Amino acid sequence: MIRKLATGLALAALMGGAALAETFEIQMLNKGADGARMVFEPAFVQAAPGDTIKFIASSKGHNAETAKGMFPEGAEGFKGKVNEELEITLETEGVYAVICKPHYAMGMVMTIAVGDVDAPEGFLEGRVPKKAKKRFETQLGNL
């Protein structure tokens, strides 16, 4: 009897943890609510390990993918196809830079912070288009 009770409690605890995970929906848009062009809405998400991010192809011509070298060490990058939804679960704490490859130069970027983290040193070093860099800097101000 005690073994059954302990097993039941352990299963409930495991399932309860999964139930606490959140799903964030990100719209990929040609024009945002504030009139800005080529945006992810929201442009910044503060998530916990195990949370799911769902990118919704609200406007045509967009994708979501991690920017090269701009995600936590040990994490896997991701790359969605143009005009398709993408759902990912992030387990590794850190800061993830997300871009729309076709509109990266136009500044279509977003930032996902997983866990209680700060922006990594040198995060924006390298080849980041001017408009994208400006938006990343604004988003990183949320940390």
Side-chain angles (χ1 to χ4, degrees):
M1 178 70 173
I2 292 176
R3 179 179 281 166
K4 287 182 182 179
L5 182 60
T7 302
L9 288 172
L11 286 172
L14 287 172
M15 291 172 68
L20 295 177
E22 242 182 289
T23 298
F24 296 91
E25 291 190 352
I26 311 299
Q27 306 291 320
M28 298 183 284
L29 301 165
N30 290 338
K31 188 175 181 183
D34 65 356
R37 296 193 158 289
M38 305 303 168
V39 295
F40 289 98
E41 279 190 357
F44 177 83
V45 168
Q46 181 71 55
D51 284 350
T52 297
I53 312 295
K54 183 176 183 178
F55 294 94
I56 300 170
S58 302
S59 299
K60 291 187 181 256
H62 304 294
N63 82 320
E65 63 183 82
T66 45
K68 185 177 179 181
M70 296 177 73
F71 55 93
E73 188 174 322
E76 286 189 35
F78 56 86
K79 182 176 183 177
K81 294 180 180 178
V82 173
N83 297 328
E84 290 188 14
E85 291 186 2
L86 173 67
E87 192 169 306
I88 54 160
T89 300
L90 299 174
E91 299 289 348
T92 305
E93 290 194 3
V95 179
Y96 295 74
V98 180
I99 67 170
C100 168
K101 186 72 168 186
H103 303 110
Y104 185 35
M106 295 175 74
M108 189 166 177
V109 298
M110 76 163 296
T111 302
I112 303 169
V114 178
D116 186 20
V117 295
D118 292 321
E121 196 163 316
F123 189 68
L124 293 176
E125 289 180 1
R127 298 184 66 168
V128 178
K130 188 176 180 178
K131 287 182 181 181
K133 187 172 188 173
K134 185 175 180 176
R135 286 187 178 174
F136 275 137
E137 288 170 345
T138 300
Q139 295 160 14
L140 291 171
N142 292 302
L143 294 175

